[in-house]
Every structure is written in C-alpha cells, then in structure tokens.
Amino acid sequence: MKTLEKISQFVGNTFAIWVLLFAALAFFSPAAFTWIAPHISLLLGIIMFGMGLTLSGNDFKEVFKRPKDVAIGVVGQFLIMPLLAFLLAKGLNLPPEIAVGVILVGCCPGGTASNVMTFLSKGDVALSVTITSITTLLAPLVTPALILLLASEWIPVDPGGLFLSIVKIVLFPIILGVVVKRLFNKQAQASVKVLPLVSIIAIVAIVTAVVSVSQQSIAKTGLIIFAVVVLHNCLGYLLGYAFGKIFKMDLSKKKAVAIEVGMQNSGLGAAIAAAHFSPLAAVPSAIFSVWHNISGPILATIFSRMKDDKESTTVHADQSLAK
C-alpha cells in the first residue's frame, strides 16, 4: 500500500504532464485509444465513486456555519461560467458543435482538483470542499436546466435525458461511495490514499478517448477551441475573484471562490457530450481537462504569495513597533 501511495503522490504531482503526454499520443495514434470512448461514463462514475468515499458530514457543516459564503460560491459557479461560455460562443460566432461543447463545460459543477489548488493557494479549503460538494449534488437539476437555457439555440436539448445521465454517472456513484464508506469505513479510509491515482488514470483515459475519436476535427479546429478554453478558464478565475470581492470576502475566501468558479468537472462535460451530442462537442471539455491542470497550479502559486490587507497592515505595524 505504501508503494501505491508513493506512486499516487508522484503521478498527482506530475498530473498535467501525463494528461498532455497521453493527449498527444491519442492525437497521433488515435486507433490505439478509440476503444476507450464507450467507457467514458463508467470512468467518470469511478471518479465520482471515489469522491463519495471521501465525503463526510463535515463537508456540509459549512453550509450551516457560513451559508452566505457557500451561497456566494455556488451561485458564482452556476452563474459566471455558463454566462461566460454563452457570451464567448455568441461573440466569437463559434460553430454549433463547438459552441455547445463550450457551454457544456461551463454548465458543469466544480471539479475536485479545485480543492487541492485552494490548499496550495493558502485559500479557504473547507469552503472550497463544501462548494464542490454542493454544486456536484445540484448538478442533476441545475446543469440540464442551464444547458437547455443556453445551448438550445444551437442544437436540440433533452433535459430529461441529461438529468438521468447525470444521476447515473454522478449522483448514484457518489451515494454508493458514501454508503460503502459507512459500511466499510476502515477499508475505505485505507483506500483514500490511492484514490488520486485511480482518478488521474480515469481522467487521462477520458481525455485520450475524446481526443482519439475527434482527431480530425481537432486538427481543423483545435487552436480555436484551445484559445476559447483558455479565455473561458482565465476569465472564470478573474470574475470569480471579483465576485468574492463584491461581497467583501476576505482573501482566503476570494481565492477559494475564484478557483471553484474557474475549475470545472470537465469529465462530466465530456461524458454528457459523448452520450447526448457529438464527439466534437466533447473536445472543449477534454482540452479544459488539460488546460486547467496547468493554469490551476500557476494561479495557486500566485495566490500563495498574496497577503490579506489586514495581514499586511499587522506586519507593517509590528515592524514600526520594532523600530
């Protein structure tokens, strides 16, 4: 088990490299990876099951302790990224399948990687975990509604089908994970340390599957999609931070909200696109998976060096007294 933990830690620290490597392999040798595509939903289900194994009552206590902070994060998540996606799709006059793909990833809940990035940025980790958990549990209702509202201009949307898909690949595995943890707590606790490895393998597999089946489309439109994804993600961070500032949050909370808003559960976007739309519509989610695991650590490094105004004032006061 210790060996697996070390491997898990190493792979976790080099996550972006593995995603980039296998995405490149899938692009240049698509035939070797297309067999994974039918299993995207299962792979995402495994990730969500792992999330269920890590959930506890403490993850939801913040809802009652700090309802305003949690509400700001949840509303920011489901307001900023979907609207940004819609405006980018309209403003840049994106082709229908790409527009829908960008909106799909914008309407997804926060990803679990945001919790790690919040920790590295010295942000409010408890708030981050709670926002991720709440947005994920709300996803079966909110995500289909947002997709129907924003994407139906480009392509027919079946909200009922989307609801059932998200319940099956998100909600059911999470509930199963929670139940397993309750019944087999000792074994579940032991497995948590290697869960990052399982999740990373699953995410890498999802990305390679999407890239392999969309190789020709990516060759034609990849640069456009990449540019839109980078813009979407970076604006999400910026507006998420500004959203926290509007409500006068302290620095650690603003960091958490910014990262929660900017980082998406792009695996869900890929699974929904593959099941209900087209392989090309899944490409923005796949590229988002690669990009936000590059931008996240960069932002976390910048955030970790920032100091709250109150903290800075205290430091300057202490230095003045020392003189």
Side-chain angles (χ1 to χ4, degrees), residues 14-36:
T14 54
F15 183 26
I17 295 172
W18 295 109
V19 176
L20 285 169
L21 174 63
F22 279 91
L25 288 172
F27 182 80
F28 291 108
S29 302
F33 299 95
T34 51
W35 62 272
I36 303 173

Side-chain angles (χ1 to χ4, degrees), residues 251-297:
L251 182 60
S252 67
K253 293 176 185 177
K254 285 186 288 192
K255 290 176 182 178
V257 172
I259 293 170
E260 280 300 316
V261 169
M263 298 188 78
Q264 303 292 88
N265 184 345
S266 46
L268 177 59
I272 291 173
H276 294 273
F277 299 103
S278 69
L280 182 56
V283 173
S285 292
I287 293 177
F288 204 102
S289 290
V290 177
W291 171 250
H292 81 176
N293 284 294
I294 297 171
S295 66

Side-chain angles (χ1 to χ4, degrees), residues 15 36 40 42-47 196-208:
F15 183 26
I36 303 173
I40 288 176
L42 174 62
L43 290 165
L44 183 63
I46 291 170
I47 296 169
L197 177 62
V198 176
S199 296
I200 288 166
I201 291 171
I203 292 170
V204 170
I206 290 171
V207 171
T208 54

Side-chain angles (χ1 to χ4, degrees), residues 76-96:
Q77 173 68 57
F78 283 130
L79 178 68
I80 293 170
M81 290 300 270
L83 285 178
L84 268 178
F86 179 78
L87 292 173
L88 287 170
K90 291 285 285 184
L92 298 174
N93 196 26
L94 297 177

Side-chain angles (χ1 to χ4, degrees), residues 183-245:
L183 296 176
F184 307 99
N185 186 53
K186 188 176 180 181
Q187 293 89 335
Q189 291 290 345
S191 67
V192 163
K193 294 179 181 178
V194 296
L195 279 178
L197 177 62
V198 176
S199 296
I200 288 166
I201 291 171
I203 292 170
V204 170
I206 290 171
V207 171
T208 54
V210 171
V211 171
S212 65
V213 298
S214 309
Q215 193 265 355
Q216 291 184 351
S217 298
I218 292 172
K220 294 177 183 176
T221 59
L223 286 176
I224 297 170
I225 299 174
F226 182 76
V228 173
V229 164
V230 170
L231 195 57
H232 192 196
N233 173 239
C234 293
L235 285 173
Y237 291 142
L238 181 65
L239 293 179
Y241 188 88
F243 198 65
K245 195 168 186 177

